[in-house]
Amino acid sequence: MAKFTVVDHPLIQHKLTIIRDKNTSTKVFREVTNEIAMLMAYEITRDLPLEEIEIETPLTKSTQKQISGKKMAIVPILRAGLGMVDGITSLVPSARVGHIGLYREHDTLNIVEYFAKLPLDISERQVFVVDPMLATGGSAISAITQLTQKYQVDISHITFVCLVAAPEGVKALQTAFPELDIFTAALDEKLDENGYILPGLGDAGDRIFGTK
Ligand code: PRP
Ligand code: URA
């Protein structure tokens, strides 16, 4: 059964309020976005399998645990997904990072795909697709469709991680991929008539990179 999880730890809620505030500077927005991503990494890796290994402490031989199973890949959806990568890799430094470039056309919200560069063994990895915003769901669906169809990643090995989700986007993504695990830091009220999340935080890419 696929999971839908709102990671609503008080630290995350506090930091989300900071990045929602329109007066927050680009510098602080970027820093705090990565901090939230790091806190979420703690939760999204909770189910990683462990194996037992033999070690020697300074006092005795001992059987202890280490992470086993599939190696991880983080796949940010460009641009805004880049804002979450450092936070996650600070907890899992050995994860590979693939990139999928796409954007929503401003007026039509149609998805334009422009880039993909993924680890060669992506189909053998546990893949975390990251993007701060899940609005209509079009971008996430397009990225995950690429991963499953073009790169043969099994949907059961993909997790989608965002910071702010709209109910419309969650529904669309779950309909497209019923087996997909989704983690978000907040589930907001709705989309506005331009496809922006309310209350949201505005355009995540523009706020991370200081563009308009
Ligand atoms: C934003 C955001 C998501 C997408 C979400 O990207 O980072 O990728 O919109 O909207 P959706 O769920 O309706 O597809 P945008 O298209 O603005 O591109 P950018 O990251 O390059 O700014
Ligand atoms: N993309 C964003 O960056 N923000 C939204 O509110 C919706 C889509």
Side-chain angles (χ1 to χ4, degrees):
M1 172 88 171
K3 278 191 283 192
F4 173 73
T5 308
V6 180
V7 187
D8 58 356
H9 189 285
L11 282 174
I12 292 182
Q13 291 191 54
H14 177 86
K15 289 175 190 295
L16 259 184
T17 302
I18 294 172
I19 62 171
R20 287 183 190 277
D21 188 333
K22 70 175 187 180
N23 294 315
T24 295
S25 68
T26 300
K27 172 179 180 287
V28 172
F29 191 97
R30 200 180 287 150
E31 287 167 358
V32 176
T33 298
N34 265 313
E35 288 170 10
I36 299 171
M38 185 185 69
L39 293 167
M40 290 194 71
Y42 190 73
E43 196 57 37
I44 63 180
T45 52
R46 179 177 286 278
D47 293 334
L48 287 183
L50 294 167
E51 63 185 1
E52 295 196 329
I53 57 161
E54 300 293 323
I55 59 157
E56 279 185 47
T57 75
L59 300 177
T60 183
K61 288 192 174 168
S62 173
T63 304
Q64 296 296 332
K65 292 184 170 49
Q66 71 174 12
I67 288 173
S68 71
K70 287 189 177 304
K71 294 180 181 149
M72 285 176 58
I74 316 297
V75 177
I77 300 178
L78 307 183
R79 290 176 301 164
L82 288 175
M84 297 171 68
V85 173
D86 288 352
I88 298 179
T89 53
S90 65
L91 280 196
V92 277
S94 60
R96 296 288 166 89
V97 181
H99 297 85
I100 291 184
L102 48 85
Y103 64 89
R104 310 192 305 176
E105 237 172 17
H106 196 262
D107 296 332
T108 61
L109 301 185
N110 289 336
I111 304 300
V112 181
E113 298 174 354
Y114 61 87
F115 187 74
K117 184 78 182 173
L118 298 158
L120 276 180
D121 60 353
I122 188 77
S123 64
E124 290 156 34
R125 288 178 177 264
Q126 189 66 39
V127 179
F128 293 87
V129 177
V130 303
D131 189 329
M133 310 305 277
L134 176 63
T136 63
S139 303
I141 291 169
S142 168
I144 294 169
T145 301
Q146 275 195 56
L147 286 168
T148 54
Q149 293 188 1
K150 197 164 169 195
Y151 297 94
Q152 281 82 46
V153 183
D154 194 282
I155 190 68
S156 64
H157 300 154
I158 301 178
T159 300
F160 181 76
V161 187
C162 63
L163 303 189
V164 182
E168 295 90 331
V170 174
K171 192 167 170 213
L173 191 52
Q174 286 176 327
T175 302
F177 301 106
E179 296 164 65
L180 178 72
D181 288 338
I182 302 172
F183 288 79
T184 185
L187 182 59
D188 275 14
E189 284 166 30
K190 59 177 181 181
L191 295 178
D192 73 5
E193 62 282 5
N194 299 313
Y196 277 82
I197 300 175
L198 292 175
L201 48 74
D203 187 307
D206 282 349
R207 296 201 64 194
I208 290 168
F209 296 107
T211 52
K212 268 273 177 283

